[in-house]
Amino acid sequence: MIIKVNGKDITSLVENATLNSSLDTLGDQLDFEIAYSKMKYYPKIEVNLGDLIQLFDSQKEVFRGIVTNKTRNEKSQSFTCFDFAFYLNKSKVIKQFKKVKADTAIKQLLAEFNVPIGKIAPLQTIIKKFYYDKEVSEVIKDILTEVTNTTGNKYVMEMNSGKFCIYQDSELIITCKVRLAENLPLIDISQTISNPSKTANIEDMRNSIKLYAGSEEKIKEVAEVKNNALIKKYGLLQETQSVEDKDIVKAKTIAANLLKQLGKVDIQGSIEVLGNFDLRAGRILVLNEPITNLVGKYKIKSANHSIGTIHTTQLDLAEV
């Protein structure tokens, strides 16, 4: 691990570094501490709000962002840093999209806030919508939800080397390898699993979808899809949603995609593994964990890296 502030290496002074990512929040968060003393010969390092912070794994940059919070007490200074998605989370817009492709709409938003653009997956869904006083990140999430509802494809947002990227989640199946010691060969990360757990529930399951269009005065059903096998097994769990008039022609497709997302048992898990910075929220691991039967593809909901003498990562997972 190497941490730099404005290009200056401060790794030797850093303690208790953590790096966190989550599907619930756009952007990664880096926290660390630096010991502080008034002793004459104690190294003095000044880290200020807005300073550029970079985290490297060997020569590979794994985080780039700015200091957003600084706390000092008698013995230490602590810092919170966010990558450049910070500006999208904290800035609001009033924006009207008039029949533009989803990827074009997102690029327009990023350009307005001078956020560098990396790889953006093709998003052909047409967006015709007005957003009033919404965080930029929420607008982007809503656009991606529209794309998912019409195509069935799911997408992941992340910052890479300071650039905003959107990937289709099927691109993000990863294989991670680590070394237990310098003189030992690389092994798959799944061989280092500890503290596994697994839960299953049907609380968020929906096995019947009905879509409506119109207003309260005149409303009509425009699509209905069901999973009769799930209804027979678990009872009727119905979801209703409204669609705009422009979406009536594709209402059946939207309903079918919603049923695909919601019509299943929700299986989640958590594990702890030796650390690897490729473990980020949104990426997919193939697991074969025999104790709790975490077997198959699991999307990382959150990844919490504890970086020290031993780098470990705690993962919250959802079955794909």
Side-chain angles (χ1 to χ4, degrees):
M1 175 194 75
I2 300 170
I3 291 183
K4 294 183 178 181
V5 54
N6 297 328
K8 182 178 181 180
D9 190 341
I10 62 169
T11 309
S12 61
L13 301 174
V14 169
E15 300 174 340
N16 301 322
T18 62
L19 178 65
N20 303 313
S21 62
S22 171
L23 285 179
D24 294 331
T25 306
L26 174 59
D28 291 1
Q29 176 179 339
L30 174 68
D31 295 280
F32 63 92
E33 295 179 0
I34 295 177
Y36 176 74
S37 173
K38 293 182 179 180
M39 291 175 62
K40 182 176 181 180
Y41 296 106
Y42 195 86
K44 298 295 189 295
I45 179 70
E46 203 54 46
V47 180
N48 296 305
L49 298 179
D51 281 352
L52 175 68
I53 300 293
Q54 293 166 284
L55 171 65
F56 295 86
D57 181 21
S58 187
Q59 298 302 312
K60 180 183 178 182
E61 183 183 85
V62 294
F63 176 89
R64 180 189 302 182
I66 61 166
V67 179
T68 61
N69 187 284
K70 175 180 178 179
T71 303
R72 174 178 286 178
N73 60 34
E74 239 185 323
K75 296 182 179 179
S76 69
Q77 303 174 84
S78 61
F79 303 91
T80 296
C81 314
F82 286 96
D83 64 26
F84 295 125
F86 170 81
Y87 297 101
L88 304 180
N89 288 324
K90 298 300 181 180
S91 300
K92 291 186 175 182
V93 291
I94 297 173
K95 190 75 174 178
Q96 172 116 45
F97 294 110
K98 298 181 178 179
K99 295 184 178 180
V100 299
K101 291 191 300 181
D103 51 7
T104 299
I106 290 171
K107 288 175 182 178
Q108 288 176 1
L109 284 169
L110 297 174
E112 283 186 31
F113 290 88
N114 298 314
V115 175
I117 300 172
K119 180 179 179 180
I120 304 290
L123 306 169
Q124 303 300 312
T125 301
I126 299 300
I127 303 299
K128 182 184 178 184
K129 201 164 184 178
F130 178 66
Y131 294 96
Y132 180 80
D133 201 25
K134 296 288 186 183
E135 285 85 3
V136 180
S137 58
E138 291 303 312
V139 174
I140 295 174
K141 289 177 184 178
D142 187 74
I143 290 171
L144 291 179
T145 296
E146 285 217 23
V147 176
T148 297
N149 288 343
T150 55
T151 66
N153 299 324
K154 295 182 180 180
Y155 297 88
V156 174
M157 304 173 286
E158 64 180 39
M159 298 295 295
N160 274 326
S161 299
K163 295 183 178 181
F164 182 90
C165 301
I166 296 177
Y167 303 101
Q168 189 172 333
D169 66 354
S170 58
E171 297 180 71
L172 296 177
I173 299 175
I174 59 172
T175 300
C176 292
K177 293 184 181 295
V178 294
R179 294 184 195 275
L180 296 176
E182 288 296 326
N183 61 337
L184 295 177
L186 289 166
I187 60 171
D188 190 89
I189 202 110
S190 62
Q191 295 182 48
T192 72
I193 290 175
S194 63
N195 301 318
S197 71
K198 180 180 179 180
T199 62
N201 73 78
I202 61 169
E203 294 174 4
D204 295 323
M205 176 192 288
R206 299 295 180 266
N207 47 35
S208 174
I209 309 291
K210 288 187 177 183
L211 300 186
Y212 295 87
S215 62
E216 290 183 7
E217 293 77 23
K218 188 177 181 181
I219 191 168
K220 63 178 180 178
E221 183 181 309
V222 294
E224 179 182 17
V225 293
K226 296 181 177 181
N227 185 320
N228 290 318
L230 290 179
I231 292 173
K232 183 178 180 180
K233 185 171 184 178
Y234 298 110
L236 178 63
L237 296 163
Q238 185 167 283
E239 173 75 7
T240 62
Q241 288 191 15
S242 62
V243 295
E244 297 180 21
D245 290 343
K246 67 180 179 66
D247 292 326
I248 291 177
V249 294
K250 53 186 178 183
K252 197 78 174 181
T253 299
I254 293 173
N257 286 330
L258 277 172
L259 184 62
K260 182 179 177 182
Q261 295 174 51
L262 302 176
K264 59 184 180 180
V265 175
D266 181 25
I267 297 176
Q268 304 202 23
S270 66
I271 57 175
E272 187 172 315
V273 293
L274 281 184
N276 186 304
F277 287 114
D278 286 338
L279 298 169
R280 297 182 68 180
R283 299 185 177 184
I284 295 172
L285 289 171
V286 179
L287 298 177
N288 186 13
E289 195 286 304
I291 297 173
T292 60
N293 198 33
L294 284 168
V295 177
K297 293 180 181 178
Y298 284 83
K299 179 177 285 189
I300 299 172
K301 293 174 58 184
S302 67
N304 301 304
H305 296 265
S306 179
I307 314 161
T309 306
I310 299 176
H311 175 188
T312 61
T313 309
Q314 198 279 325
L315 301 173
D316 290 326
L317 308 164
E319 186 180 57
V320 176

